[in-house]
Amino acid sequence: IKENQVNNIRRKVAEYELSDTIQSSDDMYSTSSSFISESPQQIYYGAPGTGKSHEIKKQTEGKEVIRTTFHPDSDYSTFVGAYKPTMKPVLDQYKAVAGKDEDIAYEFIPQAFLQAYIAAWNNQEENVFLVIEEINRGNCAQIFGDLFQLLDRDNEGYSEYPIKADRDLAKY
């Protein structure tokens, strides 16, 4: 395919986009450097190797960024967090009985979403960016769960559909 054919296809695809928060990789380079303040959620699309990740990295340089990549096996626990086995030291008085210095314990391990949420909560004066690579490769319902409701926001940036955190998440 010739380059001018590819550019024509890109232009036609861009004409059919309904949302100004969805931008092709071509549009990304023509926007001002303040693209990151336009909307709380933005999607950039384009062919592999067109510089989407590079441009986002450049635009968020020096800011708090949490990155993750979705894939077919991604789920809520790999995006939000879950209990996982970890090694904990055995108390001195039990080492002789246990016969070891460490034992398995289950601990809630936060993943990208919760890491970004906590960072934003702890520093509300600064933006925190959660960058999701390859969002189209994962099952969004399986990954986001109830959190998907929070993406629907009013003009002031608040979700119109509150959710209740499950006990494990609330406890953390």
Side-chain angles (χ1 to χ4, degrees):
I1 299 178
K2 294 181 181 175
E3 189 168 330
N4 64 343
Q5 291 173 314
V6 171
N7 288 333
N8 285 336
I9 292 169
R10 286 182 179 156
R11 272 193 287 283
K12 289 181 187 229
V13 168
E15 289 171 10
Y16 287 105
E17 294 303 322
L18 300 176
S19 172
D20 62 352
T21 61
I22 299 176
Q23 297 184 18
S24 75
S25 52
D26 290 340
D27 297 338
M28 196 166 43
Y29 300 110
S30 65
T31 61
S32 70
S33 63
S34 65
F35 84 91
I36 56 178
S37 63
E38 294 173 8
S39 170
Q41 298 102 19
Q42 295 185 19
I43 296 175
Y44 289 87
Y45 68 91
T50 57
K52 300 175 298 294
S53 297
H54 175 75
E55 183 66 18
I56 290 168
K57 181 179 177 184
K58 189 169 88 176
Q59 294 292 334
T60 58
E61 190 173 335
K63 298 179 177 28
E64 176 114 21
V65 178
I66 311 292
R67 283 185 177 273
T68 189
T69 303
F70 285 0
H71 52 82
D73 290 334
S74 295
D75 62 10
Y76 187 86
S77 66
T78 60
F79 180 58
V80 178
Y83 280 93
K84 295 184 178 187
T86 59
M87 297 304 290
K88 295 283 186 176
V90 174
L91 297 175
D92 286 336
Q93 66 258 34
Y94 300 116
K95 284 184 181 178
V97 175
K100 52 189 169 185
D101 293 336
E102 293 183 316
D103 204 3
I104 295 175
Y106 289 88
E107 183 179 349
F108 189 86
I109 306 296
Q111 298 299 322
F113 175 81
L114 199 50
Q115 292 168 5
Y117 178 85
I118 291 168
W121 183 263
N122 289 337
N123 189 1
Q124 297 180 24
E125 302 300 317
E126 296 292 324
N127 289 328
V128 174
F129 297 90
L130 175 59
V131 176
I132 302 171
E133 302 278 355
E134 306 294 342
I135 195 168
N136 60 316
R137 293 192 183 194
N139 178 340
C140 285
Q142 176 179 319
I143 296 168
F144 284 94
D146 283 352
L147 296 176
F148 205 78
Q149 297 291 344
L150 300 178
L151 297 177
D152 246 343
R153 296 173 177 246
D154 61 21
N155 291 335
E156 295 178 20
Y158 294 98
S159 174
E160 296 181 36
Y161 307 101
I163 64 168
K164 184 175 180 183
D166 62 34
R167 283 188 289 178
D168 293 336
L169 187 58
K171 183 179 174 185
Y172 182 77

